[in-house]
Amino acid sequence: GDTVWFDANRNGFLDGGEVGAEGIRVELLDGVGTLLATQFTDADGLYLFEDLAAGAYQVRFGGVGL
């Protein structure tokens, strides 16, 4: 898991004053691109995929509420 946020200064870092983005679709894919799970970020922009077996994964982000 991690955080999706509005990067006001576009530096790629979550700086003080920047807020999380709620309701962003986050997809978990396996190493070959098969969709495994979907979540939406919470009010603070947080998401977490739990209980994953060791391996290679990809994370893909969509729009709000898509």
Side-chain angles (χ1 to χ4, degrees):
D2 208 338
T3 306
V4 177
W5 73 97
F6 296 105
D7 192 8
N9 60 4
R10 298 182 178 203
N11 69 352
F13 296 97
L14 179 57
D15 300 312
E18 293 179 335
V19 296
E22 181 178 9
I24 302 297
R25 182 184 178 108
V26 183
E27 298 175 336
L28 179 69
L29 301 100
D30 66 13
V32 296
T34 303
L35 181 63
L36 301 175
T38 300
Q39 291 190 358
F40 290 88
T41 55
D42 68 11
D44 296 316
L46 301 173
Y47 68 91
L48 178 64
F49 294 102
E50 298 184 277
D51 301 320
L52 300 175
Y57 297 92
Q58 301 174 46
V59 178
R60 180 168 59 195
F61 300 94
V64 177
L66 297 177

Short mmCIF file of all heavy atoms in Angstrom, two decimals:
data_model
loop_
_atom_site.label_atom_id
_atom_site.label_comp_id
_atom_site.label_asym_id
_atom_site.label_seq_id
_atom_site.Cartn_x
_atom_site.Cartn_y
_atom_site.Cartn_z
N GLY A 1 0.81 -1.19 0.00
CA GLY A 1 0.00 0.00 0.00
C GLY A 1 0.85 1.25 0.00
O GLY A 1 2.07 1.20 0.15
N ASP A 2 0.17 2.34 -0.15
CA ASP A 2 0.85 3.63 -0.18
C ASP A 2 -0.20 4.73 -0.14
O ASP A 2 -1.32 4.50 0.29
CB ASP A 2 1.72 3.75 -1.41
CG ASP A 2 2.91 4.68 -1.21
OD1 ASP A 2 2.88 5.53 -0.31
OD2 ASP A 2 3.87 4.56 -1.97
N THR A 3 0.16 5.89 -0.64
CA THR A 3 -0.71 7.06 -0.63
C THR A 3 -0.80 7.67 -2.01
O THR A 3 0.20 7.78 -2.71
CB THR A 3 -0.16 8.13 0.35
OG1 THR A 3 0.05 7.53 1.62
CG2 THR A 3 -1.11 9.30 0.48
N VAL A 4 -1.99 8.08 -2.39
CA VAL A 4 -2.20 8.86 -3.60
C VAL A 4 -2.52 10.27 -3.12
O VAL A 4 -3.36 10.46 -2.25
CB VAL A 4 -3.37 8.30 -4.45
CG1 VAL A 4 -3.61 9.18 -5.67
CG2 VAL A 4 -3.10 6.86 -4.85
N TRP A 5 -1.81 11.27 -3.67
CA TRP A 5 -2.00 12.63 -3.20
C TRP A 5 -1.92 13.63 -4.34
O TRP A 5 -1.49 13.32 -5.43
CB TRP A 5 -0.97 12.98 -2.13
CG TRP A 5 0.43 13.19 -2.66
CD1 TRP A 5 1.01 14.41 -2.96
CD2 TRP A 5 1.41 12.22 -2.97
NE1 TRP A 5 2.28 14.22 -3.43
CE2 TRP A 5 2.56 12.87 -3.44
CE3 TRP A 5 1.43 10.82 -2.90
CZ2 TRP A 5 3.70 12.21 -3.84
CZ3 TRP A 5 2.59 10.16 -3.30
CH2 TRP A 5 3.70 10.84 -3.75
N PHE A 6 -2.37 14.83 -4.05
CA PHE A 6 -2.29 15.93 -5.00
C PHE A 6 -0.92 16.57 -4.84
O PHE A 6 -0.64 17.25 -3.85
CB PHE A 6 -3.41 16.95 -4.74
CG PHE A 6 -4.78 16.37 -4.96
CD1 PHE A 6 -5.59 16.04 -3.89
CD2 PHE A 6 -5.25 16.15 -6.25
CE1 PHE A 6 -6.85 15.50 -4.09
CE2 PHE A 6 -6.51 15.61 -6.47
CZ PHE A 6 -7.31 15.28 -5.38
N ASP A 7 -0.03 16.34 -5.80
CA ASP A 7 1.35 16.80 -5.74
C ASP A 7 1.44 18.23 -6.28
O ASP A 7 1.78 18.47 -7.44
CB ASP A 7 2.23 15.84 -6.56
CG ASP A 7 3.71 16.05 -6.36
OD1 ASP A 7 4.10 16.84 -5.48
OD2 ASP A 7 4.49 15.44 -7.10
N ALA A 8 1.12 19.19 -5.42
CA ALA A 8 0.98 20.59 -5.83
C ALA A 8 2.23 21.14 -6.51
O ALA A 8 2.14 21.90 -7.47
CB ALA A 8 0.61 21.45 -4.63
N ASN A 9 3.42 20.75 -6.03
CA ASN A 9 4.64 21.29 -6.61
C ASN A 9 5.30 20.33 -7.62
O ASN A 9 6.39 20.61 -8.11
CB ASN A 9 5.64 21.68 -5.52
CG ASN A 9 6.05 20.51 -4.65
OD1 ASN A 9 5.66 19.37 -4.88
ND2 ASN A 9 6.82 20.79 -3.62
N ARG A 10 4.62 19.22 -7.88
CA ARG A 10 5.04 18.25 -8.90
C ARG A 10 6.49 17.76 -8.73
O ARG A 10 7.21 17.56 -9.70
CB ARG A 10 4.85 18.81 -10.30
CG ARG A 10 3.40 19.11 -10.60
CD ARG A 10 3.21 19.60 -11.98
NE ARG A 10 1.79 19.83 -12.20
CZ ARG A 10 1.23 19.85 -13.37
NH1 ARG A 10 1.95 19.66 -14.45
NH2 ARG A 10 -0.05 20.06 -13.48
N ASN A 11 6.88 17.51 -7.47
CA ASN A 11 8.23 17.02 -7.23
C ASN A 11 8.28 15.52 -6.95
O ASN A 11 9.35 14.96 -6.74
CB ASN A 11 8.90 17.79 -6.08
CG ASN A 11 8.28 17.51 -4.72
OD1 ASN A 11 7.25 16.85 -4.61
ND2 ASN A 11 8.90 18.03 -3.68
N GLY A 12 7.12 14.85 -6.92
CA GLY A 12 7.08 13.41 -6.69
C GLY A 12 7.18 13.00 -5.23
O GLY A 12 7.24 11.81 -4.94
N PHE A 13 7.18 13.96 -4.33
CA PHE A 13 7.25 13.68 -2.90
C PHE A 13 6.03 14.24 -2.20
O PHE A 13 5.54 15.31 -2.56
CB PHE A 13 8.52 14.29 -2.28
CG PHE A 13 9.78 13.71 -2.82
CD1 PHE A 13 10.45 14.36 -3.84
CD2 PHE A 13 10.29 12.53 -2.34
CE1 PHE A 13 11.63 13.84 -4.37
CE2 PHE A 13 11.45 11.99 -2.86
CZ PHE A 13 12.12 12.64 -3.87
N LEU A 14 5.57 13.53 -1.17
CA LEU A 14 4.44 14.00 -0.37
C LEU A 14 4.99 15.00 0.63
O LEU A 14 5.63 14.64 1.62
CB LEU A 14 3.76 12.83 0.34
CG LEU A 14 2.58 13.15 1.24
CD1 LEU A 14 1.49 13.89 0.48
CD2 LEU A 14 2.02 11.87 1.85
N ASP A 15 4.79 16.27 0.36
CA ASP A 15 5.30 17.35 1.21
C ASP A 15 4.21 17.84 2.15
O ASP A 15 3.02 17.64 1.89
CB ASP A 15 5.76 18.53 0.33
CG ASP A 15 6.87 18.15 -0.63
OD1 ASP A 15 7.85 17.52 -0.17
OD2 ASP A 15 6.76 18.47 -1.82
N GLY A 16 4.62 18.53 3.21
CA GLY A 16 3.67 19.13 4.14
C GLY A 16 2.69 20.01 3.40
O GLY A 16 3.06 20.75 2.50
N GLY A 17 1.42 19.91 3.75
CA GLY A 17 0.40 20.72 3.13
C GLY A 17 -0.27 20.06 1.93
O GLY A 17 -1.32 20.51 1.49
N GLU A 18 0.35 19.02 1.37
CA GLU A 18 -0.27 18.29 0.25
C GLU A 18 -1.21 17.24 0.84
O GLU A 18 -0.88 16.58 1.82
CB GLU A 18 0.80 17.66 -0.63
CG GLU A 18 1.63 18.69 -1.35
CD GLU A 18 2.72 18.12 -2.22
OE1 GLU A 18 3.18 16.99 -1.97
OE2 GLU A 18 3.11 18.82 -3.15
N VAL A 19 -2.38 17.11 0.24
CA VAL A 19 -3.42 16.25 0.82
C VAL A 19 -3.64 15.00 -0.02
O VAL A 19 -3.44 14.99 -1.23
CB VAL A 19 -4.75 17.01 0.99
CG1 VAL A 19 -4.60 18.16 1.97
CG2 VAL A 19 -5.26 17.54 -0.35
N GLY A 20 -4.10 13.95 0.65
CA GLY A 20 -4.42 12.70 -0.02
C GLY A 20 -5.62 12.86 -0.92
O GLY A 20 -6.48 13.71 -0.71
N ALA A 21 -5.66 12.01 -1.94
CA ALA A 21 -6.75 12.03 -2.93
C ALA A 21 -7.71 10.88 -2.62
O ALA A 21 -7.36 9.71 -2.77
CB ALA A 21 -6.18 11.90 -4.34
N GLU A 22 -8.91 11.22 -2.22
CA GLU A 22 -9.93 10.21 -1.88
C GLU A 22 -10.63 9.71 -3.13
O GLU A 22 -10.88 10.45 -4.08
CB GLU A 22 -10.96 10.83 -0.95
CG GLU A 22 -12.04 9.85 -0.52
CD GLU A 22 -13.03 10.46 0.45
OE1 GLU A 22 -12.99 11.67 0.68
OE2 GLU A 22 -13.86 9.70 0.97
N GLY A 23 -10.95 8.40 -3.13
CA GLY A 23 -11.79 7.81 -4.17
C GLY A 23 -11.08 7.48 -5.47
O GLY A 23 -11.73 7.27 -6.49
N ILE A 24 -9.75 7.40 -5.44
CA ILE A 24 -9.00 7.04 -6.64
C ILE A 24 -8.97 5.51 -6.77
O ILE A 24 -8.65 4.81 -5.81
CB ILE A 24 -7.56 7.59 -6.60
CG1 ILE A 24 -7.57 9.11 -6.45
CG2 ILE A 24 -6.77 7.15 -7.82
CD1 ILE A 24 -8.20 9.86 -7.59
N ARG A 25 -9.28 5.00 -7.95
CA ARG A 25 -9.26 3.55 -8.20
C ARG A 25 -7.82 3.09 -8.27
O ARG A 25 -7.00 3.67 -8.99
CB ARG A 25 -9.96 3.25 -9.51
CG ARG A 25 -10.05 1.79 -9.83
CD ARG A 25 -10.69 1.59 -11.22
NE ARG A 25 -10.73 0.20 -11.56
CZ ARG A 25 -11.82 -0.54 -11.59
NH1 ARG A 25 -12.98 0.01 -11.30
NH2 ARG A 25 -11.78 -1.81 -11.91
N VAL A 26 -7.50 2.02 -7.51
CA VAL A 26 -6.17 1.43 -7.50
C VAL A 26 -6.33 -0.06 -7.82
O VAL A 26 -7.08 -0.76 -7.14
CB VAL A 26 -5.47 1.60 -6.13
CG1 VAL A 26 -4.06 1.04 -6.17
CG2 VAL A 26 -5.48 3.05 -5.69
N GLU A 27 -5.66 -0.52 -8.86
CA GLU A 27 -5.75 -1.91 -9.28
C GLU A 27 -4.43 -2.63 -9.03
O GLU A 27 -3.37 -2.08 -9.30
CB GLU A 27 -6.09 -2.00 -10.77
CG GLU A 27 -7.42 -1.37 -11.10
CD GLU A 27 -7.70 -1.35 -12.59
OE1 GLU A 27 -6.76 -1.38 -13.40
OE2 GLU A 27 -8.89 -1.29 -12.94
N LEU A 28 -4.52 -3.84 -8.53
CA LEU A 28 -3.37 -4.69 -8.33
C LEU A 28 -3.34 -5.74 -9.44
O LEU A 28 -4.34 -6.43 -9.67
CB LEU A 28 -3.44 -5.39 -6.97
CG LEU A 28 -2.28 -6.33 -6.65
CD1 LEU A 28 -1.00 -5.54 -6.45
CD2 LEU A 28 -2.61 -7.18 -5.43
N LEU A 29 -2.21 -5.83 -10.13
CA LEU A 29 -2.06 -6.80 -11.23
C LEU A 29 -0.89 -7.71 -10.92
O LEU A 29 0.07 -7.32 -10.24
CB LEU A 29 -1.80 -6.07 -12.55
CG LEU A 29 -2.90 -5.10 -12.96
CD1 LEU A 29 -2.50 -3.68 -12.60
CD2 LEU A 29 -3.19 -5.20 -14.42
N ASP A 30 -0.95 -8.93 -11.45
CA ASP A 30 0.19 -9.83 -11.28
C ASP A 30 1.28 -9.44 -12.28
O ASP A 30 1.15 -8.47 -13.03
CB ASP A 30 -0.22 -11.30 -11.40
CG ASP A 30 -0.70 -11.69 -12.78
OD1 ASP A 30 -0.53 -10.93 -13.75
OD2 ASP A 30 -1.28 -12.80 -12.89
N GLY A 31 2.37 -10.20 -12.30
CA GLY A 31 3.51 -9.89 -13.14
C GLY A 31 3.26 -9.88 -14.63
O GLY A 31 4.04 -9.31 -15.39
N VAL A 32 2.16 -10.50 -15.08
CA VAL A 32 1.85 -10.53 -16.51
C VAL A 32 0.66 -9.62 -16.86
O VAL A 32 0.19 -9.62 -17.98
CB VAL A 32 1.59 -11.97 -17.03
CG1 VAL A 32 2.85 -12.81 -16.90
CG2 VAL A 32 0.43 -12.61 -16.30
N GLY A 33 0.18 -8.87 -15.86
CA GLY A 33 -0.87 -7.89 -16.13
C GLY A 33 -2.29 -8.32 -15.87
O GLY A 33 -3.23 -7.62 -16.23
N THR A 34 -2.49 -9.48 -15.23
CA THR A 34 -3.84 -9.94 -14.90
C THR A 34 -4.34 -9.21 -13.66
O THR A 34 -3.64 -9.16 -12.64
CB THR A 34 -3.84 -11.46 -14.63
OG1 THR A 34 -3.32 -12.13 -15.77
CG2 THR A 34 -5.23 -11.96 -14.31
N LEU A 35 -5.53 -8.64 -13.74
CA LEU A 35 -6.12 -7.91 -12.61
C LEU A 35 -6.43 -8.88 -11.48
O LEU A 35 -7.14 -9.87 -11.66
CB LEU A 35 -7.39 -7.19 -13.07
CG LEU A 35 -8.11 -6.38 -12.01
CD1 LEU A 35 -7.25 -5.22 -11.51
CD2 LEU A 35 -9.43 -5.87 -12.56
N LEU A 36 -5.91 -8.58 -10.29
CA LEU A 36 -6.12 -9.43 -9.12
C LEU A 36 -7.10 -8.82 -8.11
O LEU A 36 -7.85 -9.53 -7.46
CB LEU A 36 -4.79 -9.69 -8.40
CG LEU A 36 -3.71 -10.37 -9.22
CD1 LEU A 36 -2.42 -10.45 -8.42
CD2 LEU A 36 -4.17 -11.75 -9.66
N ALA A 37 -7.05 -7.49 -7.96
CA ALA A 37 -7.90 -6.83 -6.96
C ALA A 37 -8.02 -5.35 -7.29
O ALA A 37 -7.16 -4.79 -7.97
CB ALA A 37 -7.31 -7.00 -5.57
N THR A 38 -9.08 -4.74 -6.78
CA THR A 38 -9.32 -3.32 -6.97
C THR A 38 -9.72 -2.71 -5.63
O THR A 38 -10.48 -3.32 -4.88
CB THR A 38 -10.44 -3.08 -7.99
OG1 THR A 38 -10.07 -3.65 -9.24
CG2 THR A 38 -10.70 -1.60 -8.19
N GLN A 39 -9.21 -1.53 -5.36
CA GLN A 39 -9.59 -0.77 -4.17
C GLN A 39 -9.75 0.69 -4.57
O GLN A 39 -9.33 1.10 -5.64
CB GLN A 39 -8.52 -0.86 -3.10
CG GLN A 39 -8.37 -2.19 -2.47
CD GLN A 39 -7.45 -2.12 -1.25
OE1 GLN A 39 -6.91 -1.09 -0.89
NE2 GLN A 39 -7.27 -3.26 -0.61
N PHE A 40 -10.32 1.47 -3.66
CA PHE A 40 -10.39 2.91 -3.81
C PHE A 40 -9.70 3.54 -2.61
O PHE A 40 -9.81 3.03 -1.49
CB PHE A 40 -11.84 3.40 -3.89
CG PHE A 40 -12.50 2.99 -5.18
CD1 PHE A 40 -13.14 1.77 -5.29
CD2 PHE A 40 -12.44 3.82 -6.29
CE1 PHE A 40 -13.73 1.38 -6.49
CE2 PHE A 40 -13.03 3.44 -7.49
CZ PHE A 40 -13.67 2.22 -7.59
N THR A 41 -8.98 4.63 -2.83
CA THR A 41 -8.29 5.28 -1.73
C THR A 41 -9.30 5.84 -0.73
O THR A 41 -10.40 6.23 -1.08
CB THR A 41 -7.39 6.42 -2.24
OG1 THR A 41 -8.17 7.34 -3.01
CG2 THR A 41 -6.25 5.89 -3.08
N ASP A 42 -8.87 5.87 0.54
CA ASP A 42 -9.74 6.39 1.59
C ASP A 42 -9.64 7.91 1.66
O ASP A 42 -9.03 8.56 0.82
CB ASP A 42 -9.42 5.71 2.93
CG ASP A 42 -8.05 6.08 3.51
OD1 ASP A 42 -7.39 7.03 3.00
OD2 ASP A 42 -7.64 5.44 4.49
N ALA A 43 -10.22 8.51 2.69
CA ALA A 43 -10.28 9.96 2.83
C ALA A 43 -8.90 10.60 2.90
O ALA A 43 -8.74 11.78 2.57
CB ALA A 43 -11.09 10.33 4.07
N ASP A 44 -7.89 9.84 3.30
CA ASP A 44 -6.52 10.35 3.39
C ASP A 44 -5.68 9.97 2.19
O ASP A 44 -4.46 10.20 2.17
CB ASP A 44 -5.84 9.83 4.66
CG ASP A 44 -6.54 10.35 5.92
OD1 ASP A 44 -6.87 11.56 5.97
OD2 ASP A 44 -6.77 9.55 6.84
N GLY A 45 -6.28 9.31 1.19
CA GLY A 45 -5.55 8.89 0.01
C GLY A 45 -4.81 7.58 0.16
O GLY A 45 -4.00 7.20 -0.68
N LEU A 46 -5.10 6.84 1.23
CA LEU A 46 -4.39 5.59 1.52
C LEU A 46 -5.06 4.39 0.86
O LEU A 46 -6.28 4.35 0.74
CB LEU A 46 -4.33 5.36 3.02
CG LEU A 46 -3.63 6.45 3.83
CD1 LEU A 46 -3.80 6.19 5.32
CD2 LEU A 46 -2.17 6.58 3.45
N TYR A 47 -4.24 3.42 0.47
CA TYR A 47 -4.74 2.12 -0.01
C TYR A 47 -3.76 1.05 0.46
O TYR A 47 -2.60 1.33 0.75
CB TYR A 47 -4.88 2.10 -1.53
CG TYR A 47 -3.56 2.15 -2.26
CD1 TYR A 47 -2.89 0.97 -2.62
CD2 TYR A 47 -2.97 3.35 -2.59
CE1 TYR A 47 -1.67 1.01 -3.29
CE2 TYR A 47 -1.77 3.41 -3.26
CZ TYR A 47 -1.11 2.23 -3.60
OH TYR A 47 0.09 2.28 -4.24
N LEU A 48 -4.25 -0.20 0.55
CA LEU A 48 -3.41 -1.30 1.00
C LEU A 48 -3.96 -2.62 0.46
O LEU A 48 -5.14 -2.90 0.61
CB LEU A 48 -3.38 -1.36 2.53
CG LEU A 48 -2.57 -2.49 3.16
CD1 LEU A 48 -1.10 -2.35 2.83
CD2 LEU A 48 -2.79 -2.51 4.67
N PHE A 49 -3.09 -3.39 -0.16
CA PHE A 49 -3.42 -4.76 -0.57
C PHE A 49 -2.69 -5.67 0.41
O PHE A 49 -1.47 -5.61 0.52
CB PHE A 49 -2.96 -5.02 -2.01
CG PHE A 49 -3.71 -4.20 -3.02
CD1 PHE A 49 -3.14 -3.08 -3.59
CD2 PHE A 49 -4.99 -4.56 -3.41
CE1 PHE A 49 -3.83 -2.32 -4.52
CE2 PHE A 49 -5.69 -3.80 -4.34
CZ PHE A 49 -5.10 -2.68 -4.90
N GLU A 50 -3.44 -6.51 1.12
CA GLU A 50 -2.87 -7.33 2.18
C GLU A 50 -2.79 -8.81 1.79
O GLU A 50 -3.45 -9.25 0.85
CB GLU A 50 -3.70 -7.20 3.45
CG GLU A 50 -3.73 -5.80 3.99
CD GLU A 50 -4.49 -5.70 5.29
OE1 GLU A 50 -5.73 -5.59 5.24
OE2 GLU A 50 -3.82 -5.75 6.34
N ASP A 51 -1.99 -9.54 2.56
CA ASP A 51 -1.88 -11.00 2.46
C ASP A 51 -1.49 -11.46 1.06
O ASP A 51 -2.08 -12.40 0.52
CB ASP A 51 -3.18 -11.69 2.90
CG ASP A 51 -3.55 -11.34 4.34
OD1 ASP A 51 -2.63 -11.29 5.18
OD2 ASP A 51 -4.74 -11.14 4.61
N LEU A 52 -0.49 -10.81 0.46
CA LEU A 52 -0.01 -11.18 -0.86
C LEU A 52 1.13 -12.17 -0.76
O LEU A 52 1.99 -12.04 0.11
CB LEU A 52 0.47 -9.94 -1.63
CG LEU A 52 -0.57 -8.86 -1.86
CD1 LEU A 52 0.08 -7.65 -2.50
CD2 LEU A 52 -1.71 -9.38 -2.71
N ALA A 53 1.14 -13.14 -1.64
CA ALA A 53 2.26 -14.08 -1.70
C ALA A 53 3.46 -13.34 -2.29
O ALA A 53 3.31 -12.36 -3.01
CB ALA A 53 1.88 -15.26 -2.59
N ALA A 54 4.65 -13.84 -1.98
CA ALA A 54 5.86 -13.25 -2.56
C ALA A 54 5.77 -13.33 -4.08
O ALA A 54 5.25 -14.31 -4.63
CB ALA A 54 7.09 -13.99 -2.06
N GLY A 55 6.23 -12.30 -4.76
CA GLY A 55 6.19 -12.30 -6.21
C GLY A 55 6.22 -10.89 -6.77
O GLY A 55 6.37 -9.92 -6.04
N ALA A 56 6.07 -10.79 -8.06
CA ALA A 56 6.08 -9.50 -8.76
C ALA A 56 4.65 -9.03 -8.99
O ALA A 56 3.81 -9.80 -9.45
CB ALA A 56 6.82 -9.63 -10.09
N TYR A 57 4.40 -7.77 -8.69
CA TYR A 57 3.08 -7.18 -8.86
C TYR A 57 3.22 -5.82 -9.53
O TYR A 57 4.27 -5.20 -9.49
CB TYR A 57 2.37 -6.99 -7.51
CG TYR A 57 2.10 -8.28 -6.79
CD1 TYR A 57 3.00 -8.79 -5.87
CD2 TYR A 57 0.93 -8.98 -7.04
CE1 TYR A 57 2.74 -9.99 -5.22
CE2 TYR A 57 0.67 -10.18 -6.39
CZ TYR A 57 1.59 -10.68 -5.47
OH TYR A 57 1.32 -11.85 -4.82
N GLN A 58 2.12 -5.36 -10.11
CA GLN A 58 2.03 -4.02 -10.67
C GLN A 58 0.85 -3.31 -10.02
O GLN A 58 -0.12 -3.97 -9.63
CB GLN A 58 1.78 -4.07 -12.17
CG GLN A 58 2.82 -4.81 -12.97
CD GLN A 58 2.39 -4.94 -14.42
OE1 GLN A 58 1.94 -3.97 -15.03
NE2 GLN A 58 2.49 -6.14 -14.96
N VAL A 59 0.94 -2.00 -9.91
CA VAL A 59 -0.17 -1.21 -9.40
C VAL A 59 -0.54 -0.22 -10.50
O VAL A 59 0.32 0.44 -11.07
CB VAL A 59 0.20 -0.46 -8.10
CG1 VAL A 59 -0.95 0.39 -7.61
CG2 VAL A 59 0.61 -1.45 -7.03
N ARG A 60 -1.84 -0.13 -10.79
CA ARG A 60 -2.32 0.78 -11.82
C ARG A 60 -3.37 1.69 -11.19
O ARG A 60 -4.20 1.24 -10.41
CB ARG A 60 -2.93 -0.03 -12.97
CG ARG A 60 -3.47 0.79 -14.11
CD ARG A 60 -3.81 -0.06 -15.32
NE ARG A 60 -4.79 -1.09 -15.01
CZ ARG A 60 -5.05 -2.14 -15.80
NH1 ARG A 60 -4.39 -2.29 -16.92
NH2 ARG A 60 -5.95 -3.02 -15.46
N PHE A 61 -3.31 2.96 -11.55
CA PHE A 61 -4.21 3.95 -10.97
C PHE A 61 -5.18 4.44 -12.02
O PHE A 61 -4.81 4.67 -13.18
CB PHE A 61 -3.41 5.15 -10.43
CG PHE A 61 -2.43 4.74 -9.36
CD1 PHE A 61 -1.12 4.45 -9.69
CD2 PHE A 61 -2.82 4.64 -8.06
CE1 PHE A 61 -0.22 4.06 -8.73
CE2 PHE A 61 -1.93 4.25 -7.06
CZ PHE A 61 -0.61 3.96 -7.41
N GLY A 62 -6.43 4.59 -11.61
CA GLY A 62 -7.46 5.10 -12.50
C GLY A 62 -7.97 6.43 -12.01
O GLY A 62 -7.41 7.03 -11.12
N GLY A 63 -9.08 6.86 -12.55
CA GLY A 63 -9.66 8.13 -12.17
C GLY A 63 -10.51 8.01 -10.92
O GLY A 63 -10.60 6.96 -10.29
N VAL A 64 -11.13 9.08 -10.57
CA VAL A 64 -11.98 9.13 -9.38
C VAL A 64 -13.24 8.32 -9.63
O VAL A 64 -13.95 8.56 -10.60
CB VAL A 64 -12.35 10.59 -9.03
CG1 VAL A 64 -13.29 10.64 -7.85
CG2 VAL A 64 -11.08 11.38 -8.74
N GLY A 65 -13.47 7.33 -8.76
CA GLY A 65 -14.70 6.54 -8.81
C GLY A 65 -14.93 5.76 -10.07
O GLY A 65 -16.05 5.40 -10.38
N LEU A 66 -13.89 5.46 -10.82
CA LEU A 66 -14.05 4.69 -12.06
C LEU A 66 -14.11 3.20 -11.76
O LEU A 66 -13.52 2.70 -10.90
CB LEU A 66 -12.90 4.96 -13.03
CG LEU A 66 -12.80 6.39 -13.53
CD1 LEU A 66 -11.57 6.55 -14.41
CD2 LEU A 66 -14.03 6.79 -14.30
#
